[in-house]
Amino acid sequence: MVSTTPPVRKKKRANRTFGRQKAAELYEALAQDRPDPKTELRFSNPFTLVVAVALSAQATDVGVNRATEKLFAVADTPDKMIALGEEGVAQYIKTIGLWRNKAKNVIALSRMLNETFGGEVPRSREALMQLPGVGRKTANVVLNEAFGEPTIAVDTHIFRVANRTGLAPGKTPDEVEQGLERTTPDAYRKGAHHWLILHGRYVCKARKPECWRCVISPLCKFTPKTPDPASVSGLGPKAPN
């Protein structure tokens, strides 16, 4: 017997992805808010940048900078880092999460730079990702910051901002990166990584985005927007009896 019940049609989800023109408006607003975006990790050369970014996994930039200030003062080249040794590196980075494994990786990547790349940090993503402790995100940061390549490294902040705003929704960092590559206009590719990460760190925060002071709030598809605490009644101090 043939069923006469009409098939159930799935509702189509609204398209939350930005077009390039709207993406350009978003980046322009971020650019006006932060004209000179750059990493907050402190480094003096491509090698110290590789080390700093590798150490920053599951750690804050502030915490990494506190540790590397003294580390880089004594070891700012692969040779000096190797001479320091794994235990020596560990003494400087014990305040950083996963410090034992990171110390091991710092020495291993220093050796590989010397043995495979002539002591120089390579300028290709594929080569960088051969280094111990260096993944795609780290490689993209180094290419962008040290060599001026228009790469976009997707960390937790960028992943959140890209999904919340609708700029480049994705279920994985790779999907978000691909979406940002498609959506981001060429004029904004160099600074995109920094604008998004800084916006996520200081405005579009994980627990509660501060929509009331967000320069891209009119373009953002996140709802409901977080209201300004100062305008919400009942949050001020109670009047005396």
Side-chain angles (χ1 to χ4, degrees):
M1 181 177 179
V2 179
S3 174
T4 57
T5 304
V8 177
R9 295 183 178 180
K10 293 182 179 180
K11 293 182 179 180
K12 293 183 178 180
R13 292 183 178 181
N15 182 12
R16 298 186 71 246
T17 306
F18 277 39
R20 289 176 71 84
Q21 181 175 348
K22 191 172 181 182
E25 294 177 31
L26 180 145
Y27 283 117
E28 180 57 29
L30 292 176
Q32 290 183 15
D33 188 47
R34 287 189 171 88
D36 185 28
K38 55 188 176 182
T39 182
E40 294 184 324
L41 289 171
R42 295 175 192 154
F43 66 98
S44 59
N45 55 39
F47 171 69
T48 53
L49 176 62
V50 171
V51 173
V53 181
L55 293 177
S56 71
Q58 299 184 44
T60 65
D61 287 2
V62 172
V64 171
N65 288 337
R66 189 179 298 119
T68 58
E69 181 179 7
K70 294 181 179 180
L71 173 63
F72 293 158
V74 297
D76 60 354
T77 68
D79 284 335
K80 292 178 182 178
M81 198 68 75
I82 293 168
L84 197 58
E86 188 176 323
E87 288 302 317
V89 171
Q91 296 306 309
Y92 288 96
I93 66 170
K94 279 188 174 181
T95 54
I96 301 174
L98 306 175
W99 59 272
R100 287 187 183 278
N101 193 53
K102 289 177 179 179
K104 181 179 179 180
N105 283 337
V106 167
I107 295 301
L109 73 83
S110 297
R111 288 197 177 113
M112 181 174 280
L113 285 173
N114 273 356
E115 295 168 4
T116 307
F117 302 104
E120 299 293 327
V121 175
R123 299 187 61 156
S124 78
R125 182 187 291 117
E126 292 72 20
L128 283 165
M129 289 177 65
Q130 293 179 38
L131 299 173
V134 175
R136 187 179 181 88
K137 184 194 79 171
T138 298
N140 280 344
V141 172
V142 173
L143 290 172
N144 183 288
E145 190 67 37
F147 302 124
E149 299 291 336
T151 52
I152 301 175
V154 178
D155 71 345
T156 55
H157 296 298
I158 294 179
F159 185 82
R160 178 173 66 255
V161 172
N163 275 285
R164 262 190 190 158
T165 60
L167 178 62
K171 295 180 180 179
T172 66
D174 284 349
E175 285 184 12
V176 169
E177 182 182 336
Q178 291 165 13
L180 290 172
E181 293 277 355
R182 289 191 300 269
T183 306
T184 304
D186 292 344
Y188 300 99
R189 289 285 292 274
K190 175 63 172 64
H193 164 77
H194 298 302
W195 282 316
L196 295 174
I197 192 173
L198 293 172
H199 190 70
R201 181 173 292 163
Y202 296 113
V203 181
C204 194
K205 300 177 181 179
R207 292 188 177 182
K208 182 180 290 186
E210 299 180 0
C211 304
W212 67 90
R213 66 183 190 91
C214 174
V215 297
I216 60 173
S217 183
L219 298 165
C220 175
K221 297 182 179 182
F222 174 74
T223 56
K225 298 288 192 290
T226 308
D228 183 347
S231 68
V232 178
S233 61
L235 294 184
K238 292 183 178 180
N241 294 327

